[in-house]
Amino acid sequence: MSDKRPIGVFDSGLGGLTVVKELKKVLPQETIVYFGDTGRVPYGNKSREIIRRYALQDERLLLSNGVKLIIAACGTVSSVAKDTESELPVPFVEVVSHAALAATKATKNKKIGVIGTAATIKSRAHRNYILSHMPDAEVYENSCPLFVPLVEEGITSVGDTMAVEAAKRYLEPIIKEGIDTLILGCTHYPVLSEVIRKICGDGVTLINMGEATAAYVKEFMTENDMLSQERTAPDRYLVSDKSESFSEMARTLLGSDDIEAETVDIEKI
């Protein structure tokens, strides 16, 4: 049986497009409805109560578009507001556990680094999941408060001094501990992967939450007979504030010139 309903994906801004990119690789026949909360980005410096309220609004918006599954393509929501899944009538997928599990499989010396927003690091969600699967692992964490604004502003290349200097500041304390694996604990961060790779070097494996999550979603939907056999509608990209940088990044990441974001009033959802 074919389930033609779309997959819903949400994030605080454009970072979740890195998850969409990976979903489209492994599930090209699926339609996606994406919401980027560009009017309230970033989530990572806000209180748990506000993050949870935003997540519920984002989820209701996706449900109003008839989605069959919701992906919180946001490390912050996945870390501190995962409990919102109990209020949903459709399956909910977070991005933390899949990345943490991938890190335990990738590490050789059991020294794993985690970078994320302040709220994500404070939650210790990645650390707790890693240690539940690899109790003798050493986990080193650091928050990177400038990374999301840099990505949202398009300052992401190795030629951008601001991005490189921020990466040095955040990554060098972790690198000194001898990590061989680093979880990019925010879906914005893969956009900075060239900069992060430059600072970390080739000896550190970077874990992209989008890749790990997309692989899990494909497996889950296959096992639960939720796959669509063919695309029946175009993808939709919704934002809470019209942003040219969002459309530009979407076109670049997803390799399409046809992407146009639609603005919605999230406060009325």
Side-chain angles (χ1 to χ4, degrees):
M1 187 170 69
S2 177
D3 190 336
K4 299 178 181 179
R5 292 177 296 166
I7 296 172
V9 183
F10 76 92
D11 181 51
S12 62
L14 59 80
L17 294 171
T18 61
V19 177
V20 173
K21 178 181 179 180
E22 301 304 327
L23 286 170
K24 292 176 76 66
K25 288 180 183 178
V26 299
L27 293 168
Q29 77 282 12
E30 298 291 339
T31 299
I32 294 171
V33 176
Y34 179 88
F35 173 64
D37 197 1
T38 50
R40 304 187 295 197
V41 65
Y43 283 6
N45 60 2
K46 295 177 172 62
S47 68
R48 181 186 181 281
E49 291 72 23
I50 291 296
I51 294 166
R52 190 175 188 280
R53 176 159 67 85
Y54 287 0
L56 287 169
Q57 289 177 325
D58 300 348
E59 290 158 1
R60 285 196 291 269
L61 172 63
L62 292 176
L63 289 172
S64 72
N65 282 273
V67 300
K68 60 185 172 184
L69 176 143
I70 290 178
I71 301 172
C74 174
T76 299
V77 170
S78 297
S79 299
V80 304
K82 181 180 179 296
D83 63 309
T84 58
E85 68 179 317
S86 65
E87 302 185 34
L88 300 177
V90 298
F92 173 90
V93 177
E94 43 75 32
V95 294
V96 168
S97 63
H98 315 298
L101 184 59
T104 64
K105 294 178 178 178
T107 184
K108 300 295 191 298
N109 67 4
K110 299 184 179 181
K111 293 185 177 183
I112 299 171
V114 182
I115 54 175
T117 66
T120 293
I121 297 304
K122 183 179 180 180
S123 76
R124 296 201 153 190
H126 290 90
R127 169 188 289 273
N128 293 339
Y129 197 89
I130 289 167
L131 294 179
S132 70
H133 283 74
M134 184 178 280
D136 56 343
E138 297 177 40
V139 183
Y140 302 95
E141 303 164 291
N142 206 2
S143 62
C144 307
L146 288 178
F147 274 6
V148 170
L150 287 171
V151 172
E152 293 285 333
E153 292 298 324
I155 304 171
T156 60
S157 79
V158 290
D160 289 315
T161 302
M162 190 181 301
V164 173
E165 291 303 313
K168 284 181 180 178
R169 176 176 179 176
Y170 297 143
L171 295 170
E172 285 180 349
I174 295 178
I175 295 169
K176 286 195 302 185
E177 301 295 343
I179 64 167
D180 72 348
T181 305
L182 177 67
I183 296 175
L184 308 184
C186 170
T187 51
H188 281 73
Y189 294 1
V191 182
L192 286 163
S193 58
E194 287 188 8
V195 175
I196 294 170
R197 169 64 62 208
K198 177 179 180 178
I199 305 305
C200 289
D202 293 334
V204 177
T205 298
L206 304 184
I207 302 296
N208 179 335
M209 294 200 295
E211 291 180 0
T213 302
Y216 169 78
V217 169
K218 180 179 181 179
E219 180 182 353
F220 177 86
M221 290 177 58
T222 301
E223 291 177 352
N224 289 276
D225 198 23
M226 296 177 66
L227 295 174
S228 173
Q229 298 305 309
E230 60 181 352
R231 287 177 59 86
T232 57
D235 297 333
R236 295 180 65 201
Y237 297 90
L238 313 176
V239 294
S240 54
D241 184 38
K242 195 72 171 180
S243 166
E244 186 55 36
S245 63
F246 178 93
S247 296
E248 289 178 2
M249 185 63 72
R251 294 172 193 138
T252 300
L253 280 176
L254 305 178
S256 173
D257 294 329
D258 298 328
I259 296 173
E260 291 294 338
E262 307 169 41
T263 305
V264 297
D265 188 347
I266 191 64
E267 295 289 355
K268 291 184 178 180
I269 300 300

